[in-house]
Amino acid sequence: MSEFSNKLKELRTSKNISQKQIASQLDIADRQYRRYENEEQQPTLPIIIKLANYFDISLDYLVGRTDNPNSHKS
């Protein structure tokens, strides 16, 4: 599994929310979200930004460029 899909699943489960719930927050179909976690499709940049905002984490953390989820906060 890729770093992105691992982080995505880890973040979602740590918040104890379903794939359907997060898909609803992103305004996408739940099957579309499942594709992101299963590495079947890469999300667009606007979706990645929505994910980072939803989880209040940096984009760098989400894509595996840092281990600090709060690197966007100064």
Side-chain angles (χ1 to χ4, degrees):
M1 211 175 237
S2 75
E3 182 109 20
F4 175 79
S5 60
N6 280 336
K7 292 228 189 254
L8 198 54
K9 186 172 184 175
E10 176 185 305
L11 287 162
R12 180 182 58 78
T13 57
S14 73
K15 298 270 187 195
N16 209 19
I17 57 176
S18 69
Q19 291 176 333
K20 187 173 187 166
Q21 289 171 309
I22 193 163
S24 176
Q25 292 294 317
L26 298 172
D27 200 28
I28 60 173
D30 56 322
R31 69 181 175 277
Q32 184 72 30
Y33 180 82
R34 280 195 305 272
R35 289 181 184 137
Y36 302 153
E37 279 195 11
N38 293 331
E39 293 184 83
E40 296 170 4
Q41 188 172 3
Q42 294 294 314
T44 62
L45 183 57
I47 294 293
I48 293 172
I49 292 169
K50 283 182 179 182
L51 285 163
N53 288 338
Y54 179 78
F55 289 114
D56 192 26
I57 57 168
S58 72
L59 290 171
D60 284 342
Y61 177 76
L62 189 56
V63 299
R65 292 181 45 158
T66 183
D67 290 331
N68 179 1
N70 298 314
S71 64
H72 65 299
K73 298 177 181 177
S74 36

